[in-house]
Amino acid sequence: MSRFKAVIFDLDGVITDTARYHYLAWKRLADSQGVPFDEAANEHLKGIDRMGSLELILAGAAGNYTEAEKLALADQKNEHYKALIATMTPADLLPGAVETLDACRRDGLKIGLASVSKNAFSVLDSLGIRGKFDYVVDAATIERGKPDPEIFLKAARELGVSPADCLGVEDAVAGVASIKSAGMFALGIGDPEILTQADVVIPGLTQFKLQAY
Ligand code: BG6
Ligand code: MG
């Protein structure tokens, strides 16, 4: 038995390595604009929605961009990203992901997905795991992205579980902040020196041990 009633997962960088594809797509866009961008800068973009990420990248640009130009650039990045995810299959699930989802199911927990990516449904379908979730937040319905708690609170509400009974799983600094301000337990995936706000950090889902949290 777990002390939690629901587990709410982030997608990119937790279930599958699309965090890498988001980086490559942004890098291509940044290069096209002559804006400096590297993996360290990308760390601040993880978990941040598309337009928010673009604003952070363009903060390093020499000139100014109109709203229409920004929308066009965001579209270009999304086209680069969609080309990268087009060939995804269940082989792109990160190690331990399916085992973790199945372990949570066996323990009777509700399972939610809280990704701000508007490509999340398509990625879940390519991975063949949409049916493993009781509820997937539609990013298009979210007004305030991570680190705001809105998306994790919405998942909990739709799952019918109080936030205090939820375990949130995230690879991004902004995502861990969202979980914590939603009043949930935060399991970080990655580096404890980066995910300093998480309650526990593990390197990946192969180390997931529900009873330990
Ligand atoms: C998050 C990623 O899951 O989704 C971010 O961590 C990304 O890097 C965001 O910007 C929005 O994704 P999309 O697919 O809607 O552009
Ligand atoms: Mg992520």
Side-chain angles (χ1 to χ4, degrees):
M1 276 291 288
S2 163
R3 70 183 172 102
F4 299 106
K5 295 186 179 145
V7 184
I8 304 171
F9 293 90
D10 171 48
L11 175 66
D12 297 320
V14 171
I15 303 275
T16 182
D17 201 12
T18 35
R20 177 91 199 135
Y21 294 151
H22 279 295
Y23 167 66
L24 292 172
W26 281 126
K27 175 72 182 149
R28 192 171 157 193
L29 188 91
D31 286 352
S32 79
Q33 299 302 304
V35 179
F37 185 62
D38 59 14
E39 300 211 30
N42 185 61
E43 206 56 49
H44 302 286
L45 266 55
K46 285 186 180 172
I48 306 295
D49 64 21
R50 198 179 305 163
M51 291 309 288
S53 298
L54 180 69
E55 294 289 354
L56 289 173
I57 289 175
L58 294 184
N64 289 320
Y65 293 82
T66 65
E67 282 311 306
E69 285 167 341
K70 286 182 192 169
L71 285 172
L73 290 176
D75 275 353
Q76 271 178 38
K77 182 270 177 176
N78 196 43
E79 291 308 314
H80 298 331
Y81 180 69
K82 284 198 294 187
L84 290 167
I85 62 172
T87 55
M88 282 181 80
T89 70
D92 292 293
L93 282 156
L94 278 169
V98 168
E99 292 78 0
T100 296
L101 293 168
D102 291 346
C104 294
R105 175 70 62 211
R106 268 197 311 279
D107 272 30
L109 276 77
K110 295 268 191 223
I111 304 175
L113 190 99
S115 169
V116 297
S117 172
K118 298 197 168 80
N119 293 293
F121 286 105
S122 138
V123 170
L124 288 179
D125 288 340
S126 300
L127 296 171
I129 54 165
R130 204 204 272 219
K132 290 189 182 286
F133 295 88
D134 296 297
Y135 180 72
V136 176
V137 178
D138 179 352
T141 66
I142 295 299
E143 284 176 25
R144 294 170 305 280
K146 300 168 186 177
D148 191 279
E150 179 182 354
I151 190 164
F152 279 94
L153 289 175
K154 174 157 192 186
R157 191 167 62 244
E158 295 289 337
L159 292 169
V161 175
S162 105
D165 293 325
C166 293
L167 168 68
V169 189
E170 260 290 351
D171 69 315
V173 172
V176 168
S178 170
I179 294 171
K180 290 315 295 173
S181 49
M184 300 177 183
F185 186 94
L187 176 63
I189 303 292
D191 182 345
E193 295 199 355
I194 293 176
L195 303 176
T196 51
Q197 233 197 313
D199 295 292
V200 174
V201 179
I202 56 174
L205 288 178
T206 50
Q207 310 294 313
F208 184 89
K209 290 186 192 70
L210 191 51
Q211 318 305 333
Y213 314 126

